[in-house]
């Protein structure tokens, strides 16, 4: 009897996810050829399409290796396999040109320089030695240079640079790691680097060597980075840092650092294994690390006990840091509050009053990207700002979102982002900034248009914050009105809750509702008052307010967000009444409330004029900070008072008994601080250390929040969401997480989306997608 060979078949394989611009096609080509398969692979608007034929065993191995051995930057969201009636005509395996079509693939974030490219720029024998624009399919610019999908060279800022013959050969060789690396370039054909003084005059010499020499002399430089201009100064030069702060109008906000390598970081900060993994990841974010070792210039982070540190993320940064003995300050290249500069001419014009020189190049920054900021807490990773390296990688939603309407969500007014939700993919934009600043609002609108074009996205529903005065809300209303689309107004704290659920992959059909603690500065409440310290119960589909912090006046409205002493007066007024000053004798706070302005403030609260009631958790923290003389008159930046208050708590000896936060109930649960303030003032009179007072306040708040959940009906076997900007406070987030987990709860913290307003757009999007019949736009 004649033996038969292994049976052969043919498969069509559709792969969706982040699979373009990451070396996926050459990876497929190499695996297929190694297994003796015939067929082809190509990019199109949906991702990667493969047709392959061979014996059944080889095809099974092929499918397994597609998932197990995929390139580092790839993310496979879905593989759909179907049988082909006819085998591909080719006898070998080929890579075909890209096809246009419906855009359903993701855009890969920019990735830090890989070890292989770093070795190239350090090797004098390599033709890319000291080339500041070296990259391959495993690293380099993506979103920052992309104009539209599919991700091909003609779609990027590199279209202006014609490849030389050698680069072309690498680009066309599937066995080369630079095969179809769209930003491929070399010193002969790539972008050019130069150095110029603040008057725009070119300076002769190696640009990187010149920049390093100027930095060593104390100069302030503008450097054109991956997603825009950055401003650099020697981190050991206190006078240069003071000059930078003065010129940039940034008196106290901590400055980020770049270090050459881990050894250099360990000279001034602690980094455990998880923090090292974040630093060395392809995202290469700014990581908040504990100060330790030799102190750097005090002007970098002032009273704060952590430093924001990153490693070089481009060849240019690697080359510069190799010329320097120590770390540099590296902060956004912008005028105060304005977006980061991206264009050479605008940078020359707007930064000339800040910097002494420019390290420039002629590759366009198409899409502005700030550096991402993350922190490793005991309870997990916190992403404080999601930008370069993370955005716009889609948030993958549960299967229940398949078939949901397409939603465009406009986010909040501070830390603005927007979100495009299409089925299981929610594309959250990079951090854009505070929309109260006109240039930032213009940039927000520009980025919105770009994303809509980039993804060819046509929404079915528009979602906005319920606050009628938010500029993001008004922009969304205009968008919906112009296109005749349904508009969904989403309550601010419900959006925080839903963003965390989506971040944690919770299904729409999850049984029952979860409880949530949502703590932030201010949000428009469902009852028309200002919320901010909330205990909610709900899901994507709705919520109820189970409890909240006691309401106090917000004297002066918006001014109270900037001036913590106003919030201290409001808390004391609520506790002790109009004669609250009598309780301040011996605390050191007497003189603060003795002036004419304080009397006007009292009148506002007594008459209810320009003093709306609020349950804000953020303003409570500001009040405690002011009592401890932490920037009482004015905050230099948003969150400064609360951040310094947290630093004090961390400096205290562990195990302090918390102040007594009362939890009462009538229609809703209320957290009252009637007993906190007498105890706190008593500690001030007794000369108790401020570190101890801060720790006692934090611990009391943790205990009170845990009790409030129990009173609100949360069961130890249930899930509890923690969200809102106040949970950027690691002392509070870790402490409450550990307390609740000890009590038996499953705690859901944010992991890939900020807990602050940077995650609001995601929450708005999933809530709107869950609605069965949203109303049409109504003025």
């Amino acid at each position: 009897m004649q033996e038969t060979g292994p049976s052969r078949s043919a498969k069509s394989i559709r792969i969706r996810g982040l699979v373009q611009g990451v070396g996926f096609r050459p990876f497929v080509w190499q695996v297929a050829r190694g297994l003796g398969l015939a067929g082809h692979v190509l990019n199109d608007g949906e991702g990667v399409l493969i047709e392959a034929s061979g014996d059944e065993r080889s095809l099974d191995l092929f499918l397994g290796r597609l998932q197990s051995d995929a390139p580092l930057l790839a993310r496979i969201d879905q593989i759909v396999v179907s049988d082909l009636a006819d085998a591909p005509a080719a006898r070998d395996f080929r890579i075909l040109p890209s096809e246009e079509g419906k855009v359903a693939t993701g855009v890969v974030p920019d990735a830090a320089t890989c070890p292989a490219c770093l070795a190239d720029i350090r090797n004098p024998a390599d033709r890319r030695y000291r080339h500041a624009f070296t990259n391959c399919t495993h690293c380099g610019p993506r979103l920052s240079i992309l104009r539209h999908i599919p991700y091909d060279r003609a779609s990027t800022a590199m279209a202006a640079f014609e490849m030389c013959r050698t680069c072309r050969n690498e680009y066309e060789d599937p066995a080369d790691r630079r095969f179809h690396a769209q930003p491929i370039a070399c010193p002969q054909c790539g972008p050019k680097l130069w150095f110029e003084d603040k008057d725009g005059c070119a300076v002769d010499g190696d640009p990187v060597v010149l920049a390093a020499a100027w930095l060593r002399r104390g100069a302030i430089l503008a450097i054109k980075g991956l997603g825009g201009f950055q401003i650099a100064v020697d981190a050991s030069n206190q006078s240069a840092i003071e000059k930078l702060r003065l010129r940039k109008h940034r008196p106290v906000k901590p400055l980020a650092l770049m270090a050459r390598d881990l050894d250099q970081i360990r000279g001034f900060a602690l980094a455990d294994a998880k923090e090292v993994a974040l630093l060395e990841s392809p995202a290469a974010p700014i990581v908040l690390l504990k100060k330790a070792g030799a102190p750097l210039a005090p002007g970098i982070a002032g009273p704060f006990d952590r430093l924001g540190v990153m490693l070089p993320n481009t060849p240019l940064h690697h080359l510069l840091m190799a010329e320097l003995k120590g770390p540099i300050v590296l902060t956004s290249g912008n005028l105060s509050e304005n977006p980061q500069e991206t264009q050479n001419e605008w940078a020359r014009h707007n930064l000339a009053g800040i910097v002494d020189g420019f390290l420039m190049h002629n590759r366009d920054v198409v899409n502005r990207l700030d550096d991402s900021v993350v922190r490793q807490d005991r309870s997990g990773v916190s992403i404080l700002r999601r930008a370069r390296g993370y955005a716009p990688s889609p948030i993958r939603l549960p299967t229940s979102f398949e078939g949901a309407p397409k939603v465009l969500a406009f986010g909040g007014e501070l830390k603005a982002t927007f979100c495009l939700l299409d089925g299981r993919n929610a594309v959250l934009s990079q951090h854009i900034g505070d929309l109260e600043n006109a240039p930032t609002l213009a940039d927000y609108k520009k980025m919105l248009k770009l994303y809509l074009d980039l993804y060819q996205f046509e929404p079915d529903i528009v979602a906005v914050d319920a606050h009628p005065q938010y500029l993001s809300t008004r922009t969304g209303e205009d968008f919906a009105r112009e296109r005749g689309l349904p508009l969904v107004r989403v309550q601010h704290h419900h959006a925080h809750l839903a963003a965390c659920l989506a971040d944690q992959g919770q299904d729409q059909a999850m049984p029952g509702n979860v409880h949530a603690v949502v703590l932030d500065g201010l949000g428009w409440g469902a009852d028309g008052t200002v919320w901010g310290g909330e205990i909610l119960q709900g899901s994507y589909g709705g919520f109820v307010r189970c409890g909240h912090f006691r309401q106090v006046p917000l004297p002066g409205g918006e001014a109270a967000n900037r001036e913590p002493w106003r919030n201290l007066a409001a808390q004391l007024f609520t506790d002790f009444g109009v004669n609250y000053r009598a309780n301040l004798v011996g605390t050191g706070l007497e003189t603060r409330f003795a002036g004419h302005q304080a009397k006007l403030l009292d009148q506002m609260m007594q008459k209810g004029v320009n003093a709306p009631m609020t349950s804000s958790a953020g303003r409570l923290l500001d009040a405690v900070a002011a009592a401890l003389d932490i920037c009482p008159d004015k905050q230099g930046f948003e969150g400064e008072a609360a951040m310094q208050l947290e630093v004090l708590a961390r400096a205290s000896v562990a195990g302090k008994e918390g102040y007594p936060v009362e939890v009462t109930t009538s229609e809703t649960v209320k957290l009252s601080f009637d007993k906190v303030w007498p105890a706190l003032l008593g500690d001030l009179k007794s000369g108790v250390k401020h570190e101890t007072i801060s720790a006692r306040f934090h611990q009391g708040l943790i205990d009170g929040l845990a009790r409030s959940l129990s009173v609100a009906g949360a069961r130890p076997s249930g899930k509890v969401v923690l969200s809102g900007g106040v949970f950027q406070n690691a002392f509070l987030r870790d402490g409450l997480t550990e307390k609740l987990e000890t009590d038996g709860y499953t705690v859901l913290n944010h992991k890939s989306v900020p807990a602050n307003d940077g995650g609001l757009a995601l929450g708005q999007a999933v809530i709107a997608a869950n609605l069965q019949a949203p109303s049409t736009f109504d003025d």
Side-chain angles (χ1 to χ4, degrees), residues 162-407:
E162 185 175 351
M163 282 181 269
C164 66
R165 180 176 297 178
T166 308
C167 283
R168 173 63 67 178
N169 289 339
E170 293 173 337
Y171 182 83
E172 294 177 350
D173 180 2
D176 195 289
R177 80 173 195 275
R178 294 190 170 93
F179 175 76
H180 280 237
Q182 306 308 336
I184 188 173
C186 71
Q188 179 181 340
C189 65
K192 303 303 179 186
L193 193 67
W194 69 92
F195 187 85
E196 62 185 55
D197 62 25
K198 65 179 180 180
D199 297 319
C201 299
V203 181
D204 291 335
D206 183 306
V208 175
V209 173
L210 284 168
W214 280 48
L215 287 170
R216 285 193 294 270
R217 293 201 301 265
I220 301 171
L221 298 184
I223 299 172
K224 191 175 184 182
L226 200 64
F229 278 84
Q230 300 164 308
I231 296 178
V233 69
D234 181 357
S236 66
N237 191 326
Q238 176 66 12
S239 63
I241 292 170
E242 290 174 354
K243 183 167 59 176
L244 169 62
R245 286 193 175 281
L246 182 64
R247 292 180 181 180
K248 203 169 186 283
H249 305 295
R250 185 173 174 171
V252 291
K253 192 174 184 179
L255 298 165
L257 295 166
M258 177 173 281
R260 182 185 62 244
D261 50 31
L262 288 175
D263 286 341
Q264 195 171 86
I265 289 174
R266 290 185 174 120
F268 59 83
L270 298 176
D272 64 20
K274 291 180 179 179
E275 290 164 335
V276 168
L278 289 169
L279 287 163
E280 294 185 328
S281 70
I286 296 170
V287 182
L288 300 186
L289 302 175
K290 296 176 183 177
K291 291 179 180 178
L296 298 174
I300 294 171
F304 300 102
D305 60 353
R306 276 165 171 69
L307 296 166
V309 187
M310 59 183 151
L311 290 171
N313 52 73
T314 72
L316 175 57
H317 291 105
H318 278 286
L319 293 170
L320 178 62
M321 296 310 299
E323 297 287 333
L324 297 167
K325 293 183 178 179
I328 59 172
V329 165
L330 199 63
T331 187
S332 295
N334 60 335
L335 295 173
S336 182
E337 307 302 328
N338 280 4
Q340 188 178 14
E341 298 295 341
T342 59
Q343 305 300 316
N344 291 357
E345 283 304 316
W346 280 106
R348 290 186 184 105
H349 180 268
N350 289 331
L351 302 182
I354 299 175
V355 304
D356 304 309
F358 295 83
L359 184 55
M360 300 279 243
H361 61 75
N362 62 340
R363 185 178 69 195
D364 288 344
V365 176
V366 178
N367 301 315
R368 179 182 285 105
L369 286 168
D370 284 303
D371 295 312
S372 293
V373 182
V374 306
R375 186 186 62 226
Q376 179 69 48
D377 301 331
R378 294 196 305 273
S379 49
V381 175
S382 291
I383 294 188
L384 308 181
R385 184 168 73 196
R386 186 176 183 271
R388 178 187 54 77
Y390 294 107
S393 181
I395 310 301
R396 191 66 172 162
L397 301 176
T399 55
S400 58
F401 282 90
E402 288 181 353
K406 293 183 180 180
V407 181

Side-chain angles (χ1 to χ4, degrees), residues 305-306 375 377 621 630 640-651 694 698 726 728-732:
D305 60 353
R306 276 165 171 69
R375 186 186 62 226
D377 301 331
L621 268 65
I630 297 173
E640 179 190 3
M643 287 171 62
Q644 289 200 43
L645 188 67
E646 180 190 359
V647 170
L648 286 179
R650 282 201 294 261
S694 180
H698 278 85
V726 169
Q728 293 179 136
N729 181 321
F731 191 103
L732 186 60

Side-chain angles (χ1 to χ4, degrees), residues 401 407-413 417-419 421 428 444 461-467 470 472-473 488-500 502 540 757 759-771:
F401 282 90
V407 181
L408 174 59
F410 280 75
E413 184 159 89
T417 61
F418 52 81
C419 183
L421 187 150
L428 187 66
Y444 172 90
I461 301 172
V462 171
V464 298
D465 192 277
H467 197 303
Y470 276 3
S472 57
T473 298
V488 176
R489 302 182 190 276
V490 180
Q491 199 279 325
H492 190 90
H493 301 91
H494 185 203
H496 276 305
L497 183 161
C500 189
Y540 298 118
D757 283 8
L760 277 179
L762 173 63
Q764 294 167 357
V766 293
I767 289 169
N770 188 73
L771 297 178

